Amino acid sequence: MLIFAHRGASKAAPENTLKAFRLAFEQHADGIEFDTYQHDGGIVVFHDRTLKRRAREPGYLLDASWQALREMDIGEGERIPTLSETLKCVVDNKWCNIEIKHLNDVDSWVEDVKQAVQESGISVDKLLISSFNHHWLHAIAKRWSKVKIGALSASYELDCTASARALNAYSVNIALDAVDKSFVHAALRDGFDVFVYTVDEPRDMLMLREWGVTGIFTNVPDTALKALS
């Protein structure tokens, strides 16, 4: 079962920072997951719409200037990273899940991500693009057929793989509170990998492995590795 470090090793280092991503690979995570916003100045790695929780600043991320964002301390002296900086942290043959929180223009987003991928040297085969906004995912898939799409959901639909089929997705990424054994077996039977978020308790990790889940997103990759060894 693959171990994705959710926002990096975010229990031990500030979330969505280069420090958290590097630590995740030091802890032998199979990949990292992080959140992105398409800002006027480029793509930045950040989770919240507002700056208060992470940067202790008023206002919204998208209202701040690019220069201001790049100067903000989001914990332990870490700065808000760009997508390009983050991808360059990815160790060879490791996975990377880019979650999209905000997207202005699909064409420029695809161009920017392709360029960042090329510059970093990571494998497109190990790149997964996910979002709760499936319209964005559909538009990206039409423009970039080689990239893997993760149909992100917080709920268990009546037809559990309907969204994934509509997107021709690679995986179903589903919340721990929504998943059950029947869902996992149905999704796997329909040909989709199943990734579950956010899984921090060893008991849940072992249960999901028994069900056949492909991978988990966790804030504690070191704990996951120990529990699953």
Side-chain angles (χ1 to χ4, degrees):
M1 190 164 70
L2 295 173
I3 299 170
F4 282 80
H6 180 248
R7 307 178 197 171
S10 53
K11 197 75 170 180
E15 67 177 50
N16 282 330
T17 62
L18 299 183
K19 182 176 182 177
F21 300 138
R22 291 176 178 132
L23 181 58
F25 291 120
E26 290 174 11
Q27 295 179 353
H28 305 290
D30 296 300
I32 56 173
E33 179 273 352
F34 53 87
D35 311 282
T36 62
Y37 283 75
Q38 186 181 33
H39 187 277
D40 291 342
I43 300 175
V44 291
V45 176
F46 202 77
H47 178 271
D48 298 357
R49 294 173 65 236
T50 64
L51 296 164
K52 183 177 180 180
R53 181 175 68 91
R54 298 301 307 137
R56 300 168 302 282
E57 296 279 353
Y60 291 84
L61 179 137
L62 292 174
D63 290 340
S65 70
W66 181 257
Q67 182 177 352
L69 288 179
R70 299 291 283 147
E71 294 174 353
M72 291 178 184
D73 182 341
I74 55 172
E76 300 179 17
E78 290 291 304
R79 307 299 180 184
I80 298 173
T82 65
L83 174 66
S84 181
E85 290 170 340
T86 300
L87 293 186
K88 288 175 182 176
C89 288
V90 179
V91 175
D92 287 346
N93 208 36
K94 296 289 189 177
W95 282 84
C96 179
N97 186 148
I98 301 173
E99 181 180 338
I100 306 170
K101 292 292 188 185
H102 177 81
L103 190 157
N104 277 325
D105 179 78
V106 175
D107 290 321
S108 63
W109 185 94
V110 170
E111 289 178 8
D112 288 348
V113 176
K114 281 185 175 181
Q115 182 176 347
V117 168
Q118 184 176 12
E119 290 174 352
S120 68
I122 70 169
S123 172
V124 177
D125 290 339
K126 295 291 182 72
L127 179 64
L128 190 64
I129 308 296
S130 65
S131 179
F132 286 106
N133 189 319
H134 291 185
H135 295 283
W136 293 341
L137 297 180
H138 183 259
I140 290 167
K142 287 176 65 178
R143 291 163 173 79
W144 194 3
S145 59
K146 291 183 179 180
V147 78
K148 291 180 169 65
I149 298 294
L152 186 56
S153 177
S155 65
Y156 185 165
E157 302 169 358
L158 289 175
D159 183 346
C160 73
T161 59
S163 295
R165 291 198 306 273
L167 291 167
N168 193 27
Y170 174 81
S171 67
V172 179
N173 299 9
I174 188 167
L176 176 62
D177 290 342
V179 74
D180 64 18
K181 188 175 183 178
S182 296
F183 175 95
V184 174
H185 288 180
L188 293 173
R189 185 180 62 244
D190 286 352
F192 302 102
D193 281 8
V194 179
F195 298 111
V196 180
Y197 69 93
T198 304
V199 188
D200 287 348
E201 296 298 328
R203 178 177 176 176
D204 293 326
M205 297 170 186
L206 294 172
M207 175 188 70
L208 293 171
R209 183 172 67 177
E210 182 182 345
W211 290 354
V213 165
T214 314
I216 59 171
F217 299 100
T218 179
N219 298 311
V220 285
D222 53 344
T223 298
L225 184 67
K226 183 177 181 180
L228 296 170
S229 295

